[in-house]
Amino acid sequence: MIALACDHTGIALKREMMKLLDSMGLEWKDFGNNVEASGDDYPVYGYRAAKAVADGECDRAILICGTGIGIGIAASKVKGTRVCTCSDVYSAELSKRHNNSNILTMGARVVGTDLAKMIAEHWLTATFEGGRHQRRIDMITAIENGTYTEDPALGGNEA
Ligand code: RB5
């Protein structure tokens, strides 16, 4: 199940994402907004979708605002999310293969419809490679949980 959400700037692109997911045979759930008027607040919708991912109700989320940045920052505050804001295919694919990103955000005022669909398709079909990348994800999770400590054996790069 893919969570979808946007603010007023992203409604049209979110509808394109719905069509893309349908064509890929993937189920989706819409967490709003669907009112085409400014004055809405992207954290509301980013939070709802991110929480659905963190709680396990949805596997991943695709979130859209004007830049993809605000809704991404909001979503990244929800524990357990790994958010990537992408406007190119390479970053989107690698964010899954290396960073196991579970939330993709895009800017409706940044990317065109066709590019956004390509970005989402690459992200949705990529798989996490594990191995050394899992170690790094574990470190990120430890930072999030406040349990991360630097390995003294690594030394410092301050000099
Ligand atoms: C709304 O005007 C705009 O600020 C919002 O969509 C987003 O780009 C924020 O990061």
mmCIF file of all heavy atoms in Angstrom, residues 7-9 42 65-71 109, ligand 1:
data_model
loop_
_atom_site.group_PDB
_atom_site.id
_atom_site.type_symbol
_atom_site.label_atom_id
_atom_site.label_comp_id
_atom_site.label_asym_id
_atom_site.label_seq_id
_atom_site.Cartn_x
_atom_site.Cartn_y
_atom_site.Cartn_z
ATOM 1 N N ASP A 7 -0.093 19.062 -0.689
ATOM 2 C CA ASP A 7 -0.838 20.286 -0.389
ATOM 3 C C ASP A 7 -1.501 20.750 -1.690
ATOM 4 O O ASP A 7 -1.497 20.034 -2.697
ATOM 5 C CB ASP A 7 0.049 21.353 0.277
ATOM 6 C CG ASP A 7 1.077 21.975 -0.672
ATOM 7 O OD1 ASP A 7 1.123 21.583 -1.859
ATOM 8 O OD2 ASP A 7 1.830 22.849 -0.217
ATOM 9 N N HIS A 8 -2.055 21.967 -1.686
ATOM 10 C CA HIS A 8 -2.842 22.406 -2.846
ATOM 11 C C HIS A 8 -2.023 22.479 -4.130
ATOM 12 O O HIS A 8 -2.576 22.376 -5.216
ATOM 13 C CB HIS A 8 -3.471 23.782 -2.561
ATOM 14 C CG HIS A 8 -2.455 24.876 -2.400
ATOM 15 N ND1 HIS A 8 -1.739 25.046 -1.233
ATOM 16 C CD2 HIS A 8 -2.010 25.831 -3.256
ATOM 17 C CE1 HIS A 8 -0.915 26.066 -1.377
ATOM 18 N NE2 HIS A 8 -1.056 26.559 -2.596
ATOM 19 N N THR A 9 -0.709 22.638 -4.003
ATOM 20 C CA THR A 9 0.133 22.749 -5.205
ATOM 21 C C THR A 9 0.294 21.407 -5.922
ATOM 22 O O THR A 9 0.675 21.381 -7.087
ATOM 23 C CB THR A 9 1.545 23.265 -4.858
ATOM 24 O OG1 THR A 9 2.231 22.269 -4.079
ATOM 25 C CG2 THR A 9 1.497 24.569 -4.086
ATOM 26 N N TYR A 42 1.017 22.122 4.433
ATOM 27 C CA TYR A 42 1.576 20.824 4.014
ATOM 28 C C TYR A 42 1.944 19.895 5.181
ATOM 29 O O TYR A 42 1.874 18.680 5.015
ATOM 30 C CB TYR A 42 2.770 21.033 3.072
ATOM 31 C CG TYR A 42 3.866 21.910 3.624
ATOM 32 C CD1 TYR A 42 4.779 21.421 4.549
ATOM 33 C CD2 TYR A 42 3.976 23.242 3.249
ATOM 34 C CE1 TYR A 42 5.775 22.237 5.071
ATOM 35 C CE2 TYR A 42 4.963 24.066 3.771
ATOM 36 C CZ TYR A 42 5.858 23.558 4.675
ATOM 37 O OH TYR A 42 6.834 24.353 5.201
ATOM 38 N N CYS A 65 4.545 18.685 -2.591
ATOM 39 C CA CYS A 65 4.177 20.083 -2.334
ATOM 40 C C CYS A 65 4.830 20.907 -3.434
ATOM 41 O O CYS A 65 5.249 20.348 -4.457
ATOM 42 C CB CYS A 65 4.559 20.527 -0.917
ATOM 43 S SG CYS A 65 6.322 20.638 -0.573
ATOM 44 N N GLY A 66 4.925 22.211 -3.257
ATOM 45 C CA GLY A 66 5.472 23.039 -4.337
ATOM 46 C C GLY A 66 6.903 22.654 -4.686
ATOM 47 O O GLY A 66 7.267 22.484 -5.843
ATOM 48 N N THR A 67 7.723 22.523 -3.654
ATOM 49 C CA THR A 67 9.127 22.159 -3.852
ATOM 50 C C THR A 67 9.423 20.711 -3.497
ATOM 51 O O THR A 67 10.490 20.195 -3.829
ATOM 52 C CB THR A 67 10.020 23.027 -2.946
ATOM 53 O OG1 THR A 67 9.601 22.824 -1.590
ATOM 54 C CG2 THR A 67 9.922 24.504 -3.309
ATOM 55 N N GLY A 68 8.555 20.092 -2.736
ATOM 56 C CA GLY A 68 8.823 18.765 -2.176
ATOM 57 C C GLY A 68 9.588 18.864 -0.865
ATOM 58 O O GLY A 68 9.746 17.864 -0.154
ATOM 59 N N ILE A 69 10.032 20.064 -0.545
ATOM 60 C CA ILE A 69 10.914 20.225 0.623
ATOM 61 C C ILE A 69 10.121 20.330 1.925
ATOM 62 O O ILE A 69 10.392 19.622 2.898
ATOM 63 C CB ILE A 69 11.844 21.439 0.426
ATOM 64 C CG1 ILE A 69 12.814 21.153 -0.728
ATOM 65 C CG2 ILE A 69 12.618 21.734 1.709
ATOM 66 C CD1 ILE A 69 13.659 22.337 -1.149
ATOM 67 N N GLY A 70 9.139 21.196 1.959
ATOM 68 C CA GLY A 70 8.389 21.396 3.205
ATOM 69 C C GLY A 70 7.699 20.124 3.664
ATOM 70 O O GLY A 70 7.809 19.721 4.839
ATOM 71 N N ILE A 71 7.035 19.462 2.745
ATOM 72 C CA ILE A 71 6.313 18.241 3.122
ATOM 73 C C ILE A 71 7.308 17.138 3.493
ATOM 74 O O ILE A 71 7.033 16.286 4.347
ATOM 75 C CB ILE A 71 5.331 17.823 1.993
ATOM 76 C CG1 ILE A 71 4.195 16.980 2.556
ATOM 77 C CG2 ILE A 71 6.042 17.146 0.825
ATOM 78 C CD1 ILE A 71 2.977 16.870 1.654
ATOM 79 N N ARG A 109 6.189 22.167 -8.468
ATOM 80 C CA ARG A 109 6.648 23.355 -9.183
ATOM 81 C C ARG A 109 8.086 23.182 -9.674
ATOM 82 O O ARG A 109 8.681 24.128 -10.201
ATOM 83 C CB ARG A 109 6.559 24.582 -8.259
ATOM 84 C CG ARG A 109 5.116 24.952 -7.911
ATOM 85 C CD ARG A 109 5.060 26.004 -6.807
ATOM 86 N NE ARG A 109 3.690 26.464 -6.586
ATOM 87 C CZ ARG A 109 3.307 27.160 -5.526
ATOM 88 N NH1 ARG A 109 4.185 27.472 -4.577
ATOM 89 N NH2 ARG A 109 2.049 27.537 -5.402
HETATM 90 C C1 RB5 B 1 3.085 26.580 -0.782
HETATM 91 O O1 RB5 B 1 3.057 27.829 -1.350
HETATM 92 C C2 RB5 B 1 4.529 26.090 -0.716
HETATM 93 O O2 RB5 B 1 5.239 26.814 0.248
HETATM 94 C C3 RB5 B 1 4.572 24.612 -0.402
HETATM 95 O O3 RB5 B 1 3.866 23.909 -1.364
HETATM 96 C C4 RB5 B 1 5.940 23.977 -0.368
HETATM 97 O O4 RB5 B 1 6.668 24.268 -1.517
HETATM 98 C C5 RB5 B 1 6.736 24.170 0.849
HETATM 99 O O5 RB5 B 1 7.851 23.634 1.004
#
